[in-house]
Amino acid sequence: MRIAIVTDSTADIPEEIAEKLKITIIPTILVIDGQQYNDGEGISRQEFYERLSKMNPHPTTSAPSAGSFQQAYATRFAEGYDKVISIHAPAQLSGIFNAASLAAHEFPGQVEVVDSGQLSLGLGHQVIAAAEAALEEKPFEEIMA
């Protein structure tokens, strides 16, 4: 069984690792001075942090749409994957988990959405471990563990 791993940009996984491990990353949305940016596009992290102390009002984030997740899941299935494990920041802290869960309803029994209980690298390490196990073709239950 081929299992794909999906997460969002709050996992802070470097692009080269995501490519190597075939991790699909959905960008979160940054709102700066009323302008929306997909995380990683239009403004670099370095530029963001350099400008952060001078930003007024402070920037906010927004969850990607359920449609973004639905499209990512559909793409992975079109590529021949049998299941998707979608791992995200806690539902208590972000709407990302809810958007991913809503999208998963379009693929009954095929997408498992996981509340990682973690942020940033705590989330990222879970995603990387799952992706490594998926590439080794470990069983679904083992990857979930």
Side-chain angles (χ1 to χ4, degrees), residues 36-108:
Q36 293 187 2
Y37 299 90
N38 283 337
D39 189 10
E41 300 172 19
I43 183 170
S44 71
R45 290 216 174 174
Q46 180 178 345
E47 181 182 357
F48 174 80
Y49 287 117
E50 287 172 358
R51 292 175 45 193
L52 183 59
S53 65
K54 297 176 186 137
M55 291 182 188
N56 191 10
H58 291 292
T60 59
T61 61
S62 179
S65 69
S68 297
F69 288 102
Q70 188 175 1
Q71 182 178 8
Y73 300 155
T75 298
R76 299 310 277 186
F77 292 128
E79 293 170 346
Y81 287 88
D82 303 299
K83 276 189 141 345
V84 170
I85 300 174
S86 195
I87 310 169
H88 304 286
Q92 294 174 302
L93 301 176
S94 172
I96 297 169
F97 177 85
N98 293 331
S101 295
L102 184 62
H105 288 295
E106 297 297 317
F107 306 93

Side-chain angles (χ1 to χ4, degrees), residues 118-138:
Q118 300 290 314
L119 296 170
S120 189
L121 288 179
L123 165 59
H125 286 301
Q126 290 180 36
V127 172
I128 289 168
E132 289 172 341
L135 285 176
E136 293 172 8
E137 300 181 357
K138 302 276 182 173

